[in-house]
Amino acid sequence: MPKITKIEPVVPLVKPRLKVAAYARVSKETDRLMHSLSAQVSYYSDLIQKNPEWEYAGVYADSFISGTSMDNRPELQRLLSDCEKGLVNIILCKSIRRNAMMNPIYYFTGLIKCECCGNTYTRKKSKLRGRTYVHWICRSKKEKGRTCSSDNVAEDELIKICTATIGKGYESRIKAMSVDVSGNVHFSLKNGESRTWTNLHLHPPKHPHTVTDAFLGKVVCGKCGTIYHRSNGKNRWCYWKCYGKQKHICDNVNFTDYQLRTITSYILGTSDFYDAMFTDLIEKIIVLDGGDLKFIYKDGSEKIWRKL
């Protein structure tokens, strides 16, 4: 009996093309520079459209705008917005330094993902009492009809988090970042490694009032060598400060009792602070200049908590 073999057609896998755009800028209105801008636009348009693996996403150009300022550059802002929307995958430009692309405005754009809703983080500037504040927030908070419960991150703190967790030169090592529901920041590095910065929430709107006797005599100033003393006020706040401050010989950092308990729990790997465990394991806590804490264990080992 004849045998029939059905041969399925082989569908070739088509690699999706990358959406590539370019950015050009001139700072002054002169015939020579305007010719330069026109030449840049023509060059990038031709370069992108000649590459079969690229999809032309346009050339964004700002004219008569200084590269030292991040403001008043509408085309660059539009380009970054299109990147966040997924309309652009690669940006070509004449000089990274010339266009200040290592500025946090550009580096973090499209890099940070919100684990609460899946959207990306975007930059937000606000003013309060004449002071400018810059935060990175989930984009859903800015979109009409959407919201998100994720934590905001101040830009200066975000830079410190990256430096403390990854080290100097983090810009060339980070592949992706995400912020989870607890405010922890997760890093995926280009070498395949993963790291996490744990958000201890040391600055809540209202600190829980705690008074811990276990810290008495065990918190030492690393700047002047004196013991930290406890100040307790009307069952509303309690903090520890260097005794040298009273003699005006030291200006080291203060810590609330709640902050010391939270940091110690993190160092010991527990979900809560246990007086007996602290007394049994920790010889002393040294408050280093600047606010880092060095925990000296009774077995001689040490751990350091870095203050952002």
Side-chain angles (χ1 to χ4, degrees):
M1 184 176 180
K3 184 178 179 181
I4 299 175
T5 302
K6 184 179 179 181
I7 301 176
E8 298 290 346
V10 179
V11 179
L13 295 176
V14 179
K15 185 179 179 181
R17 295 195 299 168
L18 294 171
K19 302 169 186 175
V20 182
Y23 177 70
R25 177 186 62 81
V26 293
S27 57
K28 296 180 180 180
E29 187 177 4
T30 66
D31 291 340
R32 182 177 63 84
L33 288 179
M34 286 308 299
H35 176 74
S36 172
L37 181 63
S38 177
Q40 289 183 59
V41 172
S42 298
Y43 171 77
Y44 287 129
S45 298
D46 186 56
L47 177 67
I48 296 170
Q49 294 180 72
K50 277 184 177 180
N51 192 323
E53 297 183 357
W54 289 354
E55 178 182 337
Y56 180 68
V59 176
Y60 301 69
D62 282 314
S63 54
F64 325 137
I65 295 174
S66 171
T68 61
S69 173
M70 298 299 114
D71 301 323
N72 302 319
R73 301 171 73 175
E75 282 298 282
L76 185 54
Q77 297 300 328
R78 187 169 70 90
L79 171 58
L80 296 176
S81 177
D82 287 348
C83 288
E84 291 183 347
K85 295 174 185 176
L87 302 178
V88 177
N89 303 125
I90 295 177
I91 300 174
L92 305 180
C93 62
K94 183 176 180 181
S95 170
I96 290 178
R97 291 188 178 275
R98 184 171 182 268
N99 288 306
M101 297 296 286
M102 295 309 289
N103 186 284
I105 297 176
Y106 309 98
Y107 178 73
F108 292 119
T109 297
L111 184 69
I112 310 171
K113 182 180 179 180
C114 174
E115 294 187 9
C116 295
C117 68
N119 214 334
T120 56
Y121 267 56
T122 187
R123 193 175 191 259
K124 180 182 179 182
K125 292 176 67 176
S126 57
K127 285 190 176 182
L128 180 64
R129 299 188 183 95
R131 183 177 177 183
T132 301
Y133 296 87
V134 181
H135 288 80
W136 285 82
I137 69 172
C138 177
R139 192 171 190 84
S140 295
K141 296 181 180 181
K142 297 178 69 175
E143 295 177 350
K144 188 176 181 180
R146 298 189 65 180
T147 186
C148 186
S149 60
S150 58
D151 284 0
N152 301 339
V153 188
E155 187 169 88
D156 56 346
E157 289 189 1
L158 186 58
I159 294 171
K160 292 176 182 177
I161 288 170
C162 293
T163 304
T165 309
I166 309 302
K168 293 182 179 180
Y170 63 83
E171 298 92 342
S172 62
R173 302 174 61 190
I174 298 174
K175 181 180 180 181
M177 297 169 58
S178 64
V179 180
D180 65 22
V181 294
S182 298
N184 303 321
V185 182
H186 302 278
F187 297 87
S188 296
L189 305 186
K190 293 180 180 179
N191 63 1
E193 185 182 352
S194 297
R195 296 187 187 180
T196 298
W197 174 83
T198 303
N199 189 342
L200 300 182
H201 298 282
L202 297 177
H203 303 283
K206 184 177 179 181
H207 281 202
H209 179 256
T210 60
V211 180
T212 308
D213 291 337
F215 292 137
L216 289 170
K218 287 205 169 188
V219 184
V220 182
C221 178
K223 193 170 183 180
C224 69
T226 59
I227 300 294
Y228 265 57
H229 284 227
R230 183 174 65 197
S231 294
N232 191 16
K234 299 180 181 180
N235 294 324
R236 289 185 303 195
W237 47 262
C238 176
Y239 67 91
W240 295 80
K241 65 178 181 179
C242 175
Y243 188 67
K245 283 191 171 182
Q246 297 183 11
K247 298 181 179 181
H248 306 288
I249 61 173
C250 188
D251 60 353
N252 212 347
V253 180
N254 297 342
F255 284 92
T256 66
D257 192 86
Y258 166 77
Q259 289 174 336
L260 282 181
R261 290 172 67 95
T262 303
I263 296 168
T264 302
S265 300
Y266 171 71
I267 290 293
L268 295 178
T270 58
S271 58
D272 203 353
F273 181 86
Y274 300 100
D275 295 63
M277 176 183 289
F278 173 79
T279 303
D280 291 342
L281 296 178
I282 303 298
E283 180 69 31
K284 61 182 175 180
I285 301 174
I286 301 176
V287 183
L288 303 177
D289 186 14
D292 293 349
L293 299 180
K294 179 187 287 188
F295 288 78
I296 309 297
Y297 286 75
K298 290 189 174 180
D299 63 5
S301 59
E302 301 177 355
K303 278 188 179 179
I304 295 181
W305 174 82
R306 300 290 183 186
K307 179 180 182 296
L308 291 182

